[in-house]
Amino acid sequence: MLVSLCRFEWQAGYQELATALFQAEVEFSIFCPSLLLTEQSKLRLFEHFWSSNGARVGEDGAFGWSLWLEKEEENRHKILKEESSDDNEVGGWTGWTEQVSGRNGDSIASANTVEVDVDREGLDEEMEDENGKPEDDTEAMLKLLGIDVNAAASDEVKDTTTWVKWFEEEVSRDLSQWMPTRKAGEFSRVDEMGEGEDEDQLSSVVLFEDINRFLFSLRSNEARLSLVYQFIDFFGAHMSPWTSSNSLSWSEKISSLETLPDSMLENLRSVQECLSKSDSVNSFSLGSLLSGSCDISMRTEMMKFLRNSILLCLNVFPRNHILKEAVLVAEELFVTNMKTCEVATTPCQSLAKRLLKSDRQDLLLCGVYAQREAASGNMKHARRVFDMALTSICGLPKELQYNASLLCLWYAESEIANSSSRDRDTESSSRALHILCYLGSGLAYTPYTSQSSSMQILRARQGFKEKLKKIQSAWSHGVTDDQSAALVCSVALFEELTNDLPGAVEILEHMFSSVLPGRKSQSHQLELLLNYYVRMLQRHHDDLTLSQLWKPILEGLQLYPLNPELYRALVDICNHRMTSHKLRMMFDDYSRKSPSVVVWLFALSYELSKGGASHRIRGLFERAFAQDTLKNSVILWRCYIAYEIDIAHNPSAARRIYFRAINACPWSKKLWLDGYRKLSSVLTVKEMSDLQEVMRDKELNIRTDIYEILLMQG
């Protein structure tokens, strides 16, 4: 619920509030002091932190609520010691006794808060009223929005260029004003703000009163880690999959998309590249229709915010390779965007070395860092890091040695990716086989010097058989983890390199059959294993029949109907082996059985990349909006408007669709602003003015007054 609330506030233009809600909950649940407090006492204690000048998670200098409180107590005792000669100064604030009023002035908040209603209760009711079936008549749409088409236009704005400049300024402020601001130590509640504080400042300053009703305590480590993952994912960091595509968090994220996330964009771009190679027709990318939604400066600041946040969370969740990978990628993006010239080293190298210095036994950190080096083209350095980690593994505790399967799989896959040929006789393939032989045999690792002998391969195969028996027993009881899934992938890769594909396929299918279907659908490890299986088949697609390629993809889509990688593989294989009509029929079938944004995005991407007929593309959009689960999809409406403007070049149709869209999704500020971005040639001055007024009426956060633009022009 918290993530949905933050997403709603962000899309309505209240980015500062969404960011503050996440910051507050992470501090409240992840970095809470280890004191036995009631929930009410905990809230009172947190109010003191929130209203102070202490840095919050993600900000420079933040060290968490708990450590901040310890330092506050230390400072308080220090002050009491210095003032011990003054008999009149006694007592102090401890967090579980009554606060001493007036002792620290405005830096300590009063225990009795004044309830100020800052809710936007009318918004939900208005949304329900507006979400009725849209009418095609433009005038009726305008009336539904509360716009009087017969009213006289205002004389203040003379032409649409003024409104376009207003839109540009509004977007610029949206991109730069996503972090909550505050005047540390000056006020903590609305009634303490002076009359001079304007409305804009009030909206960017998030007070304790704005967030206290949404705070809750998470007790289990699993729930707390899930909060951290969703916090990182919300702000657009690159993360390895941590949950199944059947999970509620994934389905809610997909259904509420306004823009394409990087992972989805990568899959759609792959589809477009695949289709453009086989067709000479003019093709369009679905991603290009929504380009320009985020600038470099905002991306840079977000990556810095995420890097700071993840580094702080690693104090609570050490040796978590998903968090380690996310922080290294965030550091890469931050450093790359900050520097205008190329650098000789990988951007995350400095941070990775600093993290390794603090924990030299963190094998998975070595692994994710070596992967980043390999991805940057520094394969020699990546090998040194991998070899160092694997060489030292024998002297580590058993629980750390258990991570060897992940480390070996990453190393072997990096070598395979480094090879430009499918030939098993290349040096990279020999290196990969050497790594896997070590994993199977259980012998001490030595860096690669020559090809593996037949005896080493035989010993590794026997060792893998024993390991697979243990994993199969655990999986049959529903116990799956990243390490066991990595070991199965490693065995399959070993068979692919030694006995070619049939042996690898047999192992993967045998392991899948040991898990009940209900458990398969909720396990993200098994979903990753399926993705690995499909990628392996795609590497050998020229040597396989259509049915051999087809079976795992169809079975996979039955288990994971929201999996983007499976749809990408579906398009890739069908493009080489089937007619367009057959693939279109399959998309139609999936859209009826499992309607989702994912299916329609891939169907639309296929048609755009193939240069499909306009009536076919419009039909796809209209059929999508006829489904109850998709009629409120912001990203599909935005794509439809962009298609009519940028590809079909039909502004009047785009205008009609735009009014339908803002009736269906009145909470999306980005969708409203698309009218100013895309439709300035067909909207009148009065319509643009009326649209802004309706946005204000619906309590979307408007940061720029039109009079500011008029003054700049004057």
Side-chain angles (χ1 to χ4, degrees), residues 336-556:
T336 303
N337 292 335
M338 286 290 290
K339 294 184 177 180
T340 56
C341 58
E342 293 186 4
V343 291
T345 60
T346 306
C348 67
Q349 186 178 105
S350 176
L351 176 61
K353 288 183 176 180
R354 179 157 58 90
L355 292 172
L356 283 170
K357 186 178 291 187
S358 64
D359 185 1
R360 296 186 182 277
Q361 293 186 340
D362 194 343
L363 295 178
L364 296 185
L365 173 58
C366 292
V368 296
Y369 168 49
Q371 282 183 297
R372 301 315 306 164
E373 290 285 1
S376 299
N378 303 327
M379 195 62 203
K380 287 185 178 180
H381 188 64
R383 285 170 181 157
R384 285 198 297 270
V385 178
F386 273 126
D387 287 341
M388 177 192 70
L390 289 174
T391 303
S392 64
I393 201 169
C394 290
L396 298 178
K398 287 290 185 182
E399 62 269 17
L400 296 182
Q401 293 184 26
Y402 186 55
N403 293 323
S405 58
L406 277 169
L407 201 60
C408 290
L409 178 63
W410 295 342
Y411 195 177
E413 285 192 317
S414 297
E415 290 290 357
I416 297 296
N418 187 54
S419 175
S420 58
S421 171
R422 283 177 48 198
D423 191 352
R424 286 183 289 173
D425 296 329
T426 63
E427 182 185 349
S428 291
S429 297
S430 297
R431 285 178 174 273
L433 184 58
H434 170 78
I435 298 158
L436 297 172
C437 282
Y438 150 75
L439 179 64
S441 64
L443 299 176
Y445 177 81
T446 55
Y448 174 83
T449 55
S450 61
Q451 291 186 358
S452 302
S453 66
S454 56
M455 182 61 67
Q456 288 174 319
I457 293 174
L458 183 62
R459 187 184 292 115
R461 179 171 285 112
Q462 188 61 38
F464 277 136
K465 286 181 180 178
E466 297 299 322
K467 293 176 188 291
L468 286 180
K469 287 179 182 178
K470 295 179 181 179
I471 293 175
Q472 186 176 6
S473 174
W475 283 15
S476 63
H477 292 88
V479 181
T480 59
D481 56 22
D482 293 341
Q483 289 80 0
S484 61
L487 184 61
V488 174
C489 290
S490 298
V491 179
L493 182 56
F494 175 81
E495 289 295 327
E496 182 186 6
L497 293 173
T498 56
N499 284 342
D500 221 333
L501 189 65
V505 169
E506 182 181 353
I507 286 172
L508 290 171
E509 291 187 345
H510 179 67
M511 294 305 295
F512 269 119
S513 65
S514 65
V515 185
L516 295 174
R519 288 173 177 167
K520 285 182 190 176
S521 62
Q522 296 304 318
S523 170
H524 79 274
Q525 290 95 354
L526 292 177
E527 186 171 6
L528 290 175
L529 189 62
L530 177 63
N531 291 339
Y532 182 86
Y533 181 16
V534 171
R535 289 196 301 271
M536 181 179 286
L537 294 177
Q538 286 182 278
R539 289 201 295 267
H540 298 267
H541 67 87
D542 291 335
D543 305 324
L544 298 173
T545 64
L546 179 60
S547 61
Q548 289 175 312
L549 293 167
W550 206 239
K551 181 183 175 183
I553 295 177
L554 295 182
E555 291 178 352

Side-chain angles (χ1 to χ4, degrees), residues 640-655:
Y640 198 1
I641 295 167
Y643 168 76
E644 292 291 358
I645 286 291
D646 299 330
I647 299 177
H649 304 294
N650 191 340
S652 60
R655 182 175 181 270

